[in-house]
């Protein structure tokens, strides 16, 4: 068990190191092309008129480096800026004290199998939005499917249901079912029943969700 734990810790360390190294390389590459473009453009501008061929060469080189700089910007920074701009548009401050977080960057990380970077981002968001159902479900799904961790999963869901949920949301029932599945895996069937009964008494669940809770309760009763 200790050997498996050490192996898992090494994998986590190398995954995080790889992701952070990739970020540093991206920033370095963009800065390199940006400085090179500025330098070549300056040289082109200051060449005397009688050096026509050399000026044309530097002009072409400046166009190439400008294209590389623009490509790096579009690839590394534009998606983040678009998400930020969209976030402000969809959540004006007159309605919310803080813009609601968007899930797209997290989903992109999960699609790229950057699970630990997605976990870090979700953890940071939930520190600011602890009762957000979308973000909670995304992290619960991460702990349940992609980087299975019943301990973290149980803690996340327990905190969510003890402090909320505060609003109706389709993610509530999904989180609840994943939570009870986790409790069953941990051998805590009685606790799973208690959680389901407690949630069935809340008014935030629509009739279909309440029916799913009752079905799950009936299935657990047969196991006891």
């Amino acid at each position: 068990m200790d050997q498996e734990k050490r192996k898992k810790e090494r994998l986590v360390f190398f995954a995080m190191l790889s992701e952070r190294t990739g970020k540093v390389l991206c920033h370095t590459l963009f800065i390199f092309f940006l400085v090179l473009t500025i330098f070549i453009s300056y040289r082109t501008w200051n060449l005397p008129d009688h050096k026509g061929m050399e000026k044309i060469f530097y002009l072409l080189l400046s166009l190439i480096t400008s294209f590389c700089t623009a490509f790096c910007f579009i690839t590394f920074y534009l998606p983040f800026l678009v998400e930020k701009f969209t976030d402000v548009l969809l959540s004006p401050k007159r309605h919310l004290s803080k813009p609601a977080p968007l899930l797209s960057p997290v989903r992109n990380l999960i699609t790229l199998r950057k699970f630990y970077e997605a976990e870090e981002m979700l953890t940071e968001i939930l520190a600011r939005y602890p009762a957000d159902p979308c973000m909670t479900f995304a992290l619960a799904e991460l702990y349940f499917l992609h980087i299975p961790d019943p301990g973290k999963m149980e803690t996340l869901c327990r905190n969510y249901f003890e402090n909320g949920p505060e609003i109706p949301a389709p993610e509530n029932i999904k989180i609840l079912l994943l939570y009870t599945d986790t409790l069953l895996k941990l051998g805590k069937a009685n606790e799973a029943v208690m959680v389901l009964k407690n949630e069935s008494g809340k008014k935030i669940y629509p009739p279909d969700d309440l029916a799913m809770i009752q079905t799950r309760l009936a299935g657990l009763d047969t196991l006891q």
Side-chain angles (χ1 to χ4, degrees):
M1 291 296 293
D2 291 339
Q3 188 175 0
E4 291 181 3
K5 185 177 180 181
R6 285 195 297 269
K7 184 178 179 180
K8 182 178 179 181
E9 289 175 350
R10 284 197 300 269
L11 289 173
V12 172
F13 172 76
F14 285 120
M16 294 182 65
L17 181 63
S18 175
E19 290 171 7
R20 293 184 185 279
T21 303
K23 283 185 177 180
V24 172
L25 289 175
C26 291
H27 295 318
T28 304
L29 191 62
F30 173 73
I31 293 171
F32 169 76
F33 279 121
L34 180 62
V35 172
L36 189 61
T37 301
I38 294 172
F39 173 74
I40 294 173
S41 299
Y42 176 79
R43 285 292 304 272
T44 304
W45 182 264
N46 287 279
L47 279 173
D49 293 335
H50 68 273
K51 293 188 176 182
M53 292 302 295
E54 189 174 351
K55 202 163 191 175
I56 291 172
F57 170 76
Y58 275 106
L59 181 60
L60 291 173
L61 195 59
S62 176
L63 289 173
I64 293 172
T65 56
S66 297
F67 174 80
C68 293
T69 304
F71 178 79
C72 290
F73 177 81
I74 291 170
T75 304
F76 304 146
Y77 302 108
L78 188 60
F80 172 77
L81 294 176
V82 169
E83 291 290 350
K84 283 290 184 182
F85 181 70
T86 307
D87 198 355
V88 173
L89 287 179
L90 293 179
S91 305
K93 291 184 178 180
R94 67 175 180 271
H95 294 301
L96 296 173
S97 59
K98 294 181 181 179
L102 293 177
L103 198 56
S104 302
V106 176
R107 292 299 185 197
N108 291 338
L109 290 172
I110 293 173
T111 301
L112 295 171
R113 302 188 66 79
K114 295 183 177 181
F115 300 133
Y116 294 101
E117 190 171 341
E119 179 191 12
E120 182 180 354
M121 182 180 291
L122 285 167
T123 303
E124 291 175 358
I125 293 173
L126 284 171
R128 293 180 286 132
Y129 302 89
D132 185 89
C134 293
M135 296 298 163
T136 302
F137 174 64
L139 188 55
E141 198 174 35
L142 199 67
Y143 287 148
F144 193 83
L145 296 176
H146 302 297
I147 45 175
D149 193 322
K152 287 184 178 180
M153 175 69 175
E154 183 184 10
T155 301
L156 170 71
C157 296
R158 184 191 301 116
N159 291 337
Y160 180 71
F161 287 110
E162 284 181 355
N163 298 307
E166 300 172 350
I167 57 172
E171 289 79 15
N172 290 332
I173 187 66
K174 298 176 184 178
I175 299 168
L176 181 61
L177 295 179
L178 288 179
Y179 183 26
T180 54
D181 285 342
T182 300
L183 291 173
L184 290 174
K185 286 183 179 180
L186 295 171
K188 299 180 179 181
N190 291 333
E191 188 173 338
V193 171
M194 185 170 60
V195 170
L196 287 168
K197 287 182 177 179
N198 184 54
E199 291 302 307
S200 67
K202 295 181 179 178
K203 297 180 179 180
I204 60 169
Y205 294 97
D208 289 345
D209 290 354
L210 288 173
M212 294 176 68
I213 293 175
Q214 294 302 325
T215 301
R216 180 61 63 91
L217 275 171
L220 289 176
D221 287 339
T222 60
L223 293 176
Q224 292 181 327

